[in-house]
Amino acid sequence: MSLKDTSKKFEAKLKKIKVVCFDLDGILTDSHVWWASEEVGFNRTFCIYDGYGMKLLMKAGIKVGVITGGNSISVTKRTEQLGLDFCYAGNEDKREAYMDMMKKYNVTPEEVLYMGDELFDIPLLRKSGFSATVPNCSDEVKEQVDYVTIKESGKGCAREVIDLVRYAQNIHPNIGDF
């Protein structure tokens, strides 16, 4: 089944999405961190396709951000570089951040897409109007979501979910000829 066909399957839910939230480690990264230095802390690798997809959603008026338990310079720098609408970092109990984000953007849970991969993401996955995870996470997480991506952590999995939203909401980049 193509991604466009999959999007049609979830179209009713995806059309309602106004805010897209991602966990960072294990979704936007491949779940590996390495110690860089005392000044930098832990470092991560990000997928460029995910970043471009986030920018497409933001240009279309969808709020995009991160709610992550991790916190380091690499988290801050990547979210700032992308110009994300929000970044909540440093607390594995993400419920307060989620509620604050909903209040800030005046949205209901059914208008939120959340993508996470860890056990502490389950409350947000359950609450959100559309939820997604990656194939390399635990079965307990997979059992809670609407969609499990084909692509693995940090390898374009967020873009895969972004494209589901784009197809359902008819969001396309302005690509003109020259």
Side-chain angles (χ1 to χ4, degrees):
M1 180 182 298
S2 75
L3 208 52
K4 287 183 180 181
D5 290 336
T6 302
S7 180
K8 286 180 182 159
K9 176 182 172 187
F10 296 109
E11 190 172 46
K13 285 184 169 195
L14 293 170
K15 279 190 169 197
K16 296 176 186 175
I17 300 302
K18 295 181 181 177
V19 177
V20 175
C21 299
F22 296 101
D23 175 33
L24 193 123
D25 291 321
I27 297 296
L28 300 181
T29 74
D30 65 1
S31 74
H32 293 92
V33 294
W34 68 95
W35 186 255
S37 69
E38 290 294 328
E39 296 79 32
V40 175
F42 288 106
N43 237 337
R44 294 155 169 86
T45 301
F46 298 92
C47 179
I48 203 77
Y49 301 126
D50 295 341
Y52 180 67
M54 289 183 227
K55 288 181 177 188
L56 288 174
L57 290 182
M58 289 187 294
K59 283 182 182 179
I62 294 174
K63 301 298 182 189
V64 179
V66 167
I67 301 177
T68 180
N71 194 12
S72 71
I73 292 172
S74 61
V75 170
T76 305
K77 292 293 183 187
R78 182 62 175 157
T79 58
E80 287 175 357
Q81 177 195 34
L82 291 171
L84 297 184
D85 296 300
F86 59 92
C87 177
Y88 296 92
N91 189 351
E92 287 181 2
D93 186 349
K94 301 175 180 186
R95 293 174 291 187
E96 184 178 334
Y98 187 91
M99 297 304 289
D100 185 68
M101 174 275 304
M102 285 198 321
K103 184 178 177 182
K104 180 178 180 180
Y105 296 113
N106 192 31
V107 294
T108 63
E110 71 178 2
E111 296 170 314
V112 177
L113 181 156
Y114 185 75
M115 184 173 187
D117 70 314
E118 195 49 87
L119 298 173
F120 52 73
D121 290 313
I122 289 175
L124 279 60
L125 294 166
R126 284 181 177 161
K127 188 161 186 76
S128 297
F130 189 83
S131 57
T133 195
V134 290
N136 52 311
C137 72
S138 70
D139 287 342
E140 291 115 314
V141 175
K142 290 179 198 172
E143 291 166 359
Q144 303 301 319
V145 300
D146 295 300
Y147 182 72
V148 177
T149 62
I150 296 164
K151 295 184 178 178
E152 291 187 358
S153 302
K155 299 184 182 338
C157 63
R159 176 60 178 274
E160 184 177 329
V161 172
I162 287 166
D163 286 348
L164 291 175
V165 174
R166 285 190 327 99
Y167 297 143
Q169 295 192 18
N170 202 26
I171 298 169
H172 304 285
N174 183 8
I175 305 170
D177 291 330
F178 64 96

